[in-house]
Amino acid sequence: MEKYVPEIKSQLRSRIIEVPQAIYKATGIKILGTRIKSLLFSTDVAIIKNTNANSIIAVYPFTPQLSITQAILEVAPVPVFVGVGGGLTTGKRSVDIALHAELLGAYGVVVNAPTAPEVISKMYNRIDIPIIATVVTENDDYKAKLDAGARILNVSGGANTPNIVRKIREEYGKELPIIATGGPTEESILKTIDAGANSITYTPPCSADIFAEVMQRYREALK
């Protein structure tokens, strides 16, 4: 029998970013006592403050800055997983950023696909929160990253993501925690979960697109 879930809404906070229902089919990953099924992929503090996602994955295409990390952690009402480099920013700098992210309250740190296992190893020996290693292709040496100390894999392989997840799951069994991008539809999310992903990252619409819809409704109301 399907469970009924009572819901309470606020008039002023009814416009929130809700993750797709399909994500709730995932098993989730229990991290530091909190079960995580959905990760909102954003650094927009307004969106981060107005979502029902279980957590935030704050990764961006610039060198990591602690001021950005601090701002997101102060605003987010849920656990945050912070990008600490691995591509342009790497080595001791990435390790130092990871330590500061932990001290600021991050639940975990995310390293980019190019991150060398040696950097992951140094990071593992320096911080206590989990290291999440990004995997973008089947040819990525994720085994070396796991051996170096990564605790979770974050699969972001575009349309090929389910195949990469399935391959890793077949190699490592059910014990390895896997986060993966779910794609834009309920069907693509379910496909990724069926392949073996425990948690799903969801990319929300940007603030400009949401605001455009609101403004259009205002215009129609004033006709």
Side-chain angles (χ1 to χ4, degrees), residues 81-98:
F81 302 93
V82 177
V84 294
L88 178 65
T89 306
T90 189
K92 185 178 184 300
R93 187 177 180 87
S94 278
V95 175
D96 290 344
I97 291 170

Side-chain angles (χ1 to χ4, degrees), residues 57-221:
I57 182 165
V59 181
Y60 46 92
F62 310 103
T63 189
Q65 298 179 55
L66 291 176
S67 57
I68 296 175
T69 298
Q70 185 172 6
I72 293 171
L73 286 166
E74 286 181 356
V75 168
V78 291
V80 177
F81 302 93
V82 177
V84 294
L88 178 65
T89 306
T90 189
K92 185 178 184 300
R93 187 177 180 87
S94 278
V95 175
D96 290 344
I97 291 170
L99 177 61
H100 279 87
E102 177 185 343
L103 296 177
L104 286 171
Y107 262 56
V109 295
V110 184
V111 294
N112 292 336
T115 307
E118 294 76 19
V119 175
I120 294 175
S121 179
K122 291 176 182 177
M123 197 175 290
Y124 177 77
N125 290 317
R126 187 80 168 122
I127 65 175
D128 186 54
I129 54 178
I131 300 168
I132 302 170
T134 302
V135 176
V136 296
T137 172
E138 293 176 351
N139 298 323
D140 197 327
D141 194 359
Y142 47 82
K143 183 180 186 302
K145 294 177 181 180
L146 291 168
D147 290 344
R151 304 283 297 280
I152 302 168
L153 293 183
N154 172 41
V155 181
S156 181
N160 198 40
T161 294
N163 295 328
I164 301 172
V165 170
R166 187 175 292 105
K167 180 176 184 290
I168 295 171
R169 183 61 71 204
E170 289 172 354
E171 288 182 35
Y172 284 90
K174 66 179 182 180
E175 301 298 326
L176 176 66
I178 299 176
I179 298 168
T181 52
T185 67
E186 298 269 346
E187 289 75 17
S188 62
I189 290 169
L190 288 173
K191 186 176 180 181
T192 306
I193 293 171
D194 290 341
N198 301 108
S199 302
I200 298 293
T201 59
Y202 171 66
T203 303
C206 70
S207 290
D209 291 339
I210 297 170
F211 211 11
E213 293 179 7
V214 173
M215 296 302 289
Q216 183 59 33
R217 286 200 295 269
Y218 290 164
R219 294 185 194 104
E220 291 174 357

